[in-house]
Amino acid sequence: MPRLAYRSPRACFAAALLLLLPVGQAAAQQEALPRLQRAFVAGNAHALLAAAADRVEIALLGRGKLYSRAQATYVMQDFFREYPPEAFALQSESRTDGSWIAAGQYRCKQAERPFQVYLRLRLKEAQWELREIRIEEHLRE
């Protein structure tokens, strides 16, 4: 009679975790845009930039600059303070190899029309990191 190999519960658990790792990474990638949307709705600069690159380009109403993640957090805190959110909705997205661009509208009481928001993310080590935030005035039609 053949002898079955003994496998400890710890070894089985470790093997199961290794099998689930890609699923966990995929779930984290799918969570990237909803997390950014929740941060905009809440006006939460820390949550918005939690998964940002070390350097983030921010362009607010025509003025753009490259900031460290910490500086970018202060810039977005000021923006949210000046233009507190009423609503934010992502409207479109486009993904290519290693790059993801999303567009949406940001509504606040201080602006007659919603702002157009563009977010650019980059895939780095199986995680999407925020690389650019561009907020522009919505053009009149």
Side-chain angles (χ1 to χ4, degrees):
M1 181 179 305
R3 187 170 179 203
L4 297 175
Y6 173 76
R7 298 205 187 247
S8 72
R10 185 180 298 164
C12 291
F13 181 72
L17 281 178
L18 287 175
L19 290 173
L20 292 176
L21 184 61
V23 174
Q25 288 175 349
Q29 290 175 7
Q30 292 303 318
E31 176 60 21
L33 286 183
R35 179 182 42 77
L36 293 172
Q37 182 164 340
R38 285 190 304 272
F40 264 101
V41 168
N44 186 336
H46 291 284
L48 181 63
L49 292 149
D54 291 336
R55 309 281 293 163
V56 182
E57 184 176 347
I58 298 182
L60 300 177
L61 309 175
R63 294 187 190 142
K65 189 174 176 184
L66 194 60
Y67 296 96
S68 70
R69 185 182 312 131
Q71 291 170 322
T73 301
Y74 289 120
V75 169
M76 290 307 299
Q77 281 177 331
D78 288 344
F79 175 81
F80 289 137
R81 217 179 340 255
E82 187 171 347
Y83 302 100
E86 284 189 325
F88 177 74
L90 289 171
Q91 298 171 317
S92 65
E93 63 177 272
S94 174
R95 222 188 289 197
T96 62
D97 274 350
S99 185
W100 198 356
I101 297 173
Q105 289 191 344
Y106 180 87
R107 295 185 182 276
C108 64
K109 289 180 184 174
Q110 292 73 5
E112 183 180 312
R113 299 177 60 81
F115 292 121
Q116 277 302 129
V117 175
Y118 301 95
L119 304 170
R120 185 172 55 89
L121 295 90
R122 183 184 75 180
L123 189 59
K124 184 177 180 185
E125 298 173 11
Q127 295 294 322
W128 289 102
E129 64 178 14
L130 183 61
R131 301 287 296 181
E132 181 179 356
I133 301 169
R134 181 172 299 278
I135 300 175
E136 301 173 353
E137 291 187 64
H138 194 285
L139 298 176
R140 291 191 181 269
E141 297 172 9

